[in-house]
Amino acid sequence: MALDRRQFGLGAAAFLGASGLCLPSRAEEELAVLRAAKGLVRIAPDDYAPTELWTYGGVVPGPEIRVMRGKTVRRRFINNLPQPSTVHWHGIRIENAMDGVPDLTQAAVAPGAQFDYAFTAPDAGTYWYHPHNRTWEQLARGLSGILIVEEEGDPPYDRELGLALDDWRLDREARLHESFGAPMDRSHAGRIGNWVTVNGRPEPRYPAKRFERLRLRLVNTATARVFTLRVKGLSGWIVALDGQPLEHPRTLPEHMTLAPAQRIDLIADITASAGEEALIASEERGQTYAVTSFPVSDTARDDPLGPPEALPANDLPPLNGKGDVASVDLVMEGGAMGRMPAATLNGETLDARALAQRNQFWAFNGVVGMTKTPLVKVDIGQLVRLRMENRTGWPHAMHLHGHHFRKLGGVEGVGPWRDTELVARGETAEIAFVADNPGKWLLHCHMVDHADSGMMTWIEVG
Ligand code: C2O
Ligand code: CU
């Protein structure tokens, strides 16, 4: 995960220069396979047996995928799982046919079958990939990986590190709890686990040097846990959210909220001295525990570097669309401690009790789950304003496929570009985006058990 781009670039250039060959080798063809299969992976401390998980490429998180902005990602997805699956490339403004949503953009890939994904990565930044079939089970079993789209130019940092934060529900023998889709989780916060890892390890340690400048790409790959993070022995800036650079890097706040599926990119300098360690810690109900540490030996330079410049912006459509503005209201209801009026499931109106019997707990505008017709159909290039009113007792990490959006109102006026917005309980969040990407796009809660128990709809563009 800790690929040093400068070294890598040098090595590759030196190699090609020496051999003069640039034909793809056998090994490179092999790399183009993304295989999902069961695997034994050590996510618990070393004195426990490895855990049986579902993996991409035998590792958790899955292999890091890297591509230059504007280039094409190609992967032959081979499904060796006991269930149909797909791959969704979260946050990529992708061609609809490659979005990986079963029944909406493709048929799920049956066990033993394969599907070739190929798509251009239009935006530099930090993204990730995960299944979109029975996500509440497949993601919880370990299927996810980081996808990095590199910007052009020399990186303004010494080293970068992708950090996938995950949350597992393990039993005493470090076996995965098989309680997927439990009604108790679905109607509450989702499947919250009891074991947090970063890059598959409990509190991994990455040796670092004083005043070394790191780019940290934090990704929340958990099914439901919202992380509240703070740092020690590190100082720096948030430079991107959900892949998209901030116009102005923001000094690290005391706490950072990282909701399911969200990403935060930091440019951070190690300020701890040699012999100390820098930390990223998670805070929960007043308790703080380290999730990643950076033992410091050595010093990279005598003085810290100055504030970084903003990362180069991606080419996102400004918020002025063609024709009328499409205004859409989305009322979120249901869940424990909330009121769930009768709602429609597959065209049938059911009361809360009947819905609970079907393991369904949430509704958007009185509708539970997917429908044959979209929430709204808009023209290509139309500006969409989507008002999400959270009448439930829980926060929801709302994710839109195929587009990035900005939150309207609040102190900022217009917020940063995001693809996943955490809507607090009782909050109404209004987001806006230009629907420039034709196709059928999901809009759902990324607490994936909520998504499968009502909080999933779609919009159609074009
Ligand atoms: Cu990260 Cu619909 O997904
Ligand atoms: Cu939710």
Side-chain angles (χ1 to χ4, degrees), residues 434-449:
V434 170
D436 64 342
N437 198 355
K440 299 173 174 179
W441 303 108
L442 284 186
L443 170 67
H444 65 86
C445 177
H446 223 290
M447 278 87 171
V448 287
D449 273 289

Side-chain angles (χ1 to χ4, degrees), residues 377-443:
K377 186 172 188 307
V378 299
D379 295 330
I380 298 176
Q382 221 180 334
L383 178 67
V384 183
R385 290 178 75 133
L386 175 65
R387 228 177 122 264
M388 299 182 286
E389 187 184 337
N390 182 358
R391 291 192 193 156
T392 78
W394 305 88
H396 301 286
M398 293 296 293
H399 171 50
L400 174 66
H401 285 213
H403 300 77
H404 276 70
F405 53 76
R406 300 179 77 167
K407 189 173 167 181
L408 305 178
V411 277
E412 295 160 305
V414 184
W417 291 102
R418 297 215 76 135
D419 60 44
T420 307
E421 178 72 29
L422 186 64
V423 187
R425 67 188 153 113
E427 184 193 351
T428 297
E430 188 173 11
I431 60 168
F433 60 97
V434 170
D436 64 342
N437 198 355
K440 299 173 174 179
W441 303 108
L442 284 186
L443 170 67

